[in-house]
Amino acid sequence: MRPAFALLLPLAVFGSTLLEGLDRAFGGLDRLREIFRRAQELLVLGGVALALLGTLVFIASWALAHARRANDHSRPWLSRAVLALAYVPLLLTAVAAAGLFVPGMAPFILKAFALAVAIAAVVWCLALGLLIAGGSRRDLSRGRKAIILAGTPWYCLVVYMATFL
């Protein structure tokens, strides 16, 4: 207990002097609060821009996926697996949305979004792999649907983060 007391004693004695020095250095605590508020706005704006860029990547890949022509070789196991995995980010986005309406789930909003975005990236890679490998018309349709479903967390993240602007 003595070492803790020895550390806190100078802080108690010189704490007011330190606060006065910070107050003079930044022109008042209001100025410091304004700097922190602006930094937070810039971080949110950058996050919205990044989420919007992710959204555009998903939509562009979905649009380009329509240029792929079907062939006779079917890959039903791959297309069904990719489509089934695409529902995982969708469900995690629903959990994040529930956090807006259920106060007990509010701490899980960003965690659910983060997990959904990470899984959506994996699903996007698998869906693009399916589209590159090709398949029947039905397989390619499942791949396109998987891309759109995997993009759902990104679309919702843009809207959610824009509420902080």
Side-chain angles (χ1 to χ4, degrees):
M1 192 67 177
R2 286 184 193 158
F5 180 72
L7 287 174
L8 293 177
L9 183 63
L11 185 62
V13 172
F14 300 110
S16 63
T17 309
L18 181 65
L19 285 176
E20 289 173 9
L22 286 174
D23 189 37
R24 272 187 257 121
F26 289 107
L29 293 178
D30 291 334
R31 176 76 176 138
L32 188 61
R33 284 187 193 112
E34 180 66 22
I35 290 170
F36 284 138
R37 189 186 62 77
R38 285 186 184 170
Q40 181 185 11
E41 286 176 359
L42 285 173
L43 287 173
V44 169
L45 189 61
V48 170
L50 182 65
L52 188 61
L53 179 68
T55 297
L56 293 176
V57 165
F58 275 90
I59 292 173
S61 61
W62 173 78
L64 290 173
H66 284 85
R68 179 72 167 136
R69 295 193 188 272
N71 57 24
D72 294 335
H73 186 63
S74 180
R75 293 174 180 17
W77 59 273
L78 181 59
S79 64
R80 287 182 185 141
V82 169
L83 185 59
L85 282 175
Y87 282 102
V88 174
L90 183 70
L91 293 174
L92 286 169
T93 304
V95 169
L100 294 173
F101 305 109
V102 180
M105 294 182 70
F108 300 111
I109 292 175
L110 289 178
K111 293 173 187 171
F113 269 134
L115 188 58
V117 164
I119 295 173
V122 171
V123 171
W124 180 73
C125 291
L126 291 173
L128 282 183
L130 169 69
L131 292 171
I132 290 170
S136 67
R137 176 176 260 157
R138 181 174 233 162
D139 296 335
L140 296 179
S141 174
R142 287 180 188 144
R144 290 183 201 111
K145 187 175 182 180
I147 288 175
I148 287 294
L149 289 176
T152 303
W154 290 94
Y155 317 141
C156 296
L157 190 61
V158 169
V159 173
Y160 175 71
M161 290 182 73
T163 61
F164 291 108
L165 290 178

